[in-house]
Amino acid sequence: MLRFGWIAFFTDVATEMAYPLLPAFLIALGSGAQALGIMEGVAESISAAVKWWSGKESDRARARKPYVVAGYAIATFIRPALALATKPFHVILVRSIDRVGKGVRAAPRDALVAASVPEERRGAAFGFERMMDNLGAVFGPMIAFSLARAGVPLRTIFATTIFPGLIAMAIVIGLREKARDPSEIKPIRDRREPRPRGEDQKIIPISAGVKKYLFVVAIFSLGASADSFLIFRMLDLGLPIALAPIVWLSLNASKSALNIPGGKIADRFGKKKTLVVGWTIYAAAYALFPLTHSVSITWALIVAYGAYYGLAEVGEKALIAELADPASRGRSYGAFHAVTGFVVLPANALFGYLYSAHAALAFGLSSICAFFAAVLLAFV
């Protein structure tokens, strides 16, 4: 479990050295909120398709580690290519390939984390992994801010993301995977696929509980825009570009501080209840964002909004492990990531369009979707 945490830490150091600078970079290349929405939507939709594939394939495989290694390698070596971008579509392309890497690794990694600890400790395990991920997202912007204040060009900062990525790769390669129970390694195919003659192994489908849960997740995700729009909002309110990584740092510090407590809360009071509270916090925060017109007050609200991640990031993944059959766990995580990723494209494109027209419309729609999803999860 500790290795997964450090892998997440160094990967997010690399990612978050670049990510909070992308809004300013796109502005410098002559684009705005709509381009940001398209970039996030396209990248996450591509990632979603790959996550579905990798989750399903890792259920068939005797080992999930090769998928995890390949996913981290793709992201590590493509991310520095942002330094070569000269047009907005170059940024979209690099970001999309980066998300392909995440798609390859995400579902198999989550299945490995779920299998590495007893059921009663899964909330804490995912909480630790998410805490280290978000802690990396604290150090990444801190490094980016220090380099930017020292006069280092954005392109050079993008290039240096290769170093923490290589550290993460070294840890991934040294990862030891627990041997899977042979009974869990079963061919999982669609009903349309012909079954080989003489095969008597039972096909394990995604459970009905997971399917119902994913329907509610889709409703929430329809309003869940990328957090980079919060940086855009701060820039519109007058935040200096050099401080953008610090805003990002403060958000991720809030996430990191609450991930482990969120995991313990989920283990004690239930994953579903924890997730309902997290989504309700999201709805409240997005209802308030268009009402704040001060940089300092909006910044404080962003920090408070981090509580949503502290609860929801743990609850979302731990609930999948609770609802899914172990033999179809990779496929279930793949479906979860696919649903959230596919919905992100229209969600971000719509948010970017509405934001360009009137910020209150964009934030209001997100708040309504989150609140409705929380009510469905709690009562339906």
Side-chain angles (χ1 to χ4, degrees):
M1 185 176 74
L2 294 177
R3 284 180 179 267
F4 287 111
W6 284 111
I7 292 167
F9 173 80
F10 285 108
T11 299
D12 238 46
V13 167
T15 300
E16 303 301 340
M17 283 176 65
Y19 189 61
L21 296 173
L22 290 184
F25 192 50
L26 284 171
I27 291 173
L29 294 177
S31 294
Q34 289 185 344
L36 181 63
I38 292 172
M39 179 187 74
E40 291 300 328
V42 169
E44 293 301 334
S45 293
I46 292 173
S47 179
V50 179
K51 286 171 184 175
W52 168 246
W53 170 83
S54 68
K56 185 170 61 174
E57 292 300 314
S58 73
D59 278 337
R60 292 188 174 109
R62 294 188 177 278
R64 302 187 196 270
K65 178 181 172 181
Y67 296 91
V68 179
V69 172
Y72 281 107
I74 292 170
T76 294
F77 293 110
I78 193 60
R79 195 181 297 114
L82 285 168
L84 304 177
T86 57
K87 297 181 180 179
F89 83 86
H90 294 159
V91 179
I92 294 173
L93 178 62
V94 173
R95 178 71 174 161
S96 297
I97 298 174
D98 184 351
R99 295 298 87 181
V100 167
K102 183 175 181 179
V104 172
R105 71 182 185 250
R109 180 205 60 210
D110 289 344
L112 286 179
V113 174
S116 69
V117 294
E119 182 178 353
E120 64 273 11
R121 292 182 55 209
R122 281 188 187 136
F126 280 111
F128 176 74
E129 191 268 339
R130 297 314 303 162
M131 180 201 72
M132 293 296 286
D133 183 279
N134 289 322
L135 195 60
V138 171
F139 280 86
M142 188 183 298
I143 295 171
F145 172 73
S146 299
L147 293 175
R149 285 297 296 269
V152 177
L154 292 183
R155 297 181 186 278
T156 303
I157 296 175
F158 294 149
T160 58
T161 62
I162 187 71
F163 299 112
L166 289 175
I167 296 174
M169 277 295 303
I171 301 174
V172 171
I173 292 171
L175 187 69
R176 292 184 179 181
E177 180 179 354
K178 180 182 177 181
R180 297 182 64 191
D181 187 332
S183 65
E184 296 181 6
I185 307 173
K186 298 181 180 181
I188 300 175
R189 299 184 301 275
D190 293 331
R191 288 187 176 91
R192 295 171 296 178
E193 297 177 358
R195 178 185 294 188
R197 182 175 297 178
E199 182 186 67
D200 59 357
Q201 286 184 298
K202 182 181 178 183
I203 297 173
I204 308 298
I206 295 176
S207 71
V210 171
K211 291 178 181 178
K212 293 176 183 177
Y213 170 57
L214 294 181
F215 173 74
V216 181
V217 168
I219 294 174
F220 173 81
S221 299
L222 187 61
S225 63
D227 286 337
S228 49
F229 281 109
L230 301 181
I231 302 296
F232 228 101
R233 173 68 174 168
M234 293 287 283
L235 293 172
D236 283 346
L237 293 176
L239 180 79
I241 291 177
L243 289 180
I246 302 302
V247 175
W248 199 253
L249 178 158
S250 61
L251 171 60
N252 287 289
S254 177
K255 295 181 191 179
S256 179
L258 294 169
N259 279 137
I260 286 184
K264 292 181 178 179
I265 290 170
D267 285 335
R268 182 171 180 179
F269 297 104
K271 282 72 173 179
K272 188 176 81 168
K273 292 179 181 178
T274 304
L275 184 53
V276 168
V277 174
W279 283 358
T280 303
I281 293 172
Y282 184 102
Y286 267 67
L288 292 173
F289 277 127
L291 303 179
T292 61
H293 301 283
S294 161
V295 168
S296 58
I297 293 176
T298 305
W299 197 332
L301 182 57
I302 288 174
V303 173
Y305 160 73
Y308 146 72
Y309 282 99
L311 298 173
E313 283 187 324
V314 174
E316 286 174 347
K317 293 185 178 181
L319 190 54
I320 288 285
E322 188 175 276
L323 296 172
D325 185 288
S328 63
R329 191 171 284 151
R331 194 182 191 190
S332 297
Y333 277 115
F336 167 77
H337 288 300
V339 167
T340 56
F342 282 132
V343 176
V344 157
L345 176 55
N348 278 288
L350 179 59
F351 192 98
Y353 174 77
L354 293 176
Y355 187 95
S356 298
H358 199 294
L361 293 175
F363 285 110
L365 177 63
S366 293
S367 178
I368 290 170
C369 288
F371 181 74
F372 184 50
V375 171
L376 282 179
L377 186 63
F379 298 108
V380 180

